[in-house]
Amino acid sequence: MKSKDKDYFLALFEVAKMINSSLEMTTVLEEIVKAVVKTMNVKASSIRLLDSKKRVLMMGAANGLSKGYIRKGPVLIKESGIDQQVMKGDTIWIKNACTDPKFQYGEGAKNEGIKSVLVLPVKSGKNIIGVLRVYTDNIREFGLEERRFLEAVANLSGIAIENCKFHNLLKTDYDLLIAHKYRIDDN
């Protein structure tokens, strides 16, 4: 095993361990994007989640991006050819986000110092519920092992997101049940 392979294995182990240690969505997503930046030695990473109407990708967590870039504007599926393709299940590599006409915020990418971007679908079962983005500050291609590592992280992210949603639903149901019980007991 090459040393880089070992790094991906350890990084995947750490991501899986962290996902299993928390049911707080924000905490889990922030740890995932941090792990991606550290492992891949890239400028930044983000996870965007599809809204309930499946029209907008909302920011879930980011690491390495400025607040200005994060607030650049909504990522509308209908205006982003790249995200339309990712929503079909494809992983998309953008060689230079500053000049690629399919990248929705090319000028913002230039101001942020972003060059290459890899965008992967975050899946839950057969549904795509968001995207994982990896940003570099130079033109960079991603090798097969790097893509496989990131696909594994994207898949684990989907599981983590669903776990957090189910936990919150169960917690809400439990709280409602307890509130109802106390109302009945008070009467």
Side-chain angles (χ1 to χ4, degrees):
M1 181 181 286
K2 294 182 276 184
S3 64
K4 195 65 176 174
D5 294 338
K6 188 177 177 183
D7 291 344
Y8 290 135
F9 175 77
L10 289 174
L12 201 53
F13 172 77
E14 291 299 323
V15 168
K17 190 169 77 173
M18 180 274 314
I19 285 171
N20 207 22
S21 70
S22 177
L23 291 171
E24 291 297 321
M25 179 92 73
T26 304
T27 302
V28 170
L29 296 181
E30 286 176 353
E31 291 299 321
I32 290 170
V33 293
K34 264 192 243 176
V36 167
V37 168
K38 181 180 174 188
T39 303
M40 299 300 295
N41 193 25
V42 292
K43 174 179 177 47
S45 177
S46 69
I47 293 178
R48 288 188 170 269
L49 303 175
L50 194 60
D51 74 334
S52 61
K53 294 179 181 174
K54 300 184 176 184
R55 294 188 299 189
V56 180
L57 287 166
M58 311 290 290
M59 182 59 75
N63 183 270
L65 296 173
S66 69
K67 287 182 181 176
Y69 187 78
I70 290 171
R71 295 181 187 146
K72 64 189 178 305
V75 176
L76 304 171
I77 300 292
K78 70 178 183 180
E79 293 183 18
S80 173
I82 290 165
D83 290 310
Q84 289 173 20
Q85 210 169 333
V86 174
M87 288 295 124
K88 293 176 182 171
D90 298 332
T91 294
I92 304 296
W93 174 63
I94 303 155
K95 183 176 182 178
N96 188 343
C98 303
T99 58
D100 191 322
K102 291 183 288 184
F103 195 77
Q104 191 177 358
Y105 292 100
E107 190 64 30
K110 184 177 179 183
N111 294 336
E112 187 73 6
I114 293 169
K115 292 290 184 183
S116 296
V117 182
L118 190 69
V119 188
L120 305 101
V122 173
K123 298 176 184 174
S124 173
K126 293 182 180 179
N127 299 319
I128 297 171
I129 59 173
V131 298
L132 171 66
R133 297 185 199 274
V134 179
Y135 306 87
T136 66
D137 56 7
N138 55 5
I139 302 293
R140 176 173 167 180
E141 291 188 45
F142 292 88
L144 182 61
E145 291 178 0
E146 291 176 312
R147 286 177 179 242
R148 284 186 175 161
F149 167 75
L150 291 167
E151 287 170 2
V153 170
N155 285 326
L156 285 173
S157 299
I159 293 168
I161 291 163
E162 290 304 313
N163 283 346
C164 292
K165 286 180 181 175
F166 288 135
H167 172 74
N168 286 334
L169 283 173
L170 287 173
K171 187 175 181 301
T172 300
D173 285 349
Y174 177 77
D175 291 345
L176 289 172
L177 182 68
I178 294 299
H180 180 71
K181 180 185 180 327
Y182 283 125
R183 258 189 272 141
I184 290 173
D185 290 347
D186 287 344
N187 292 327

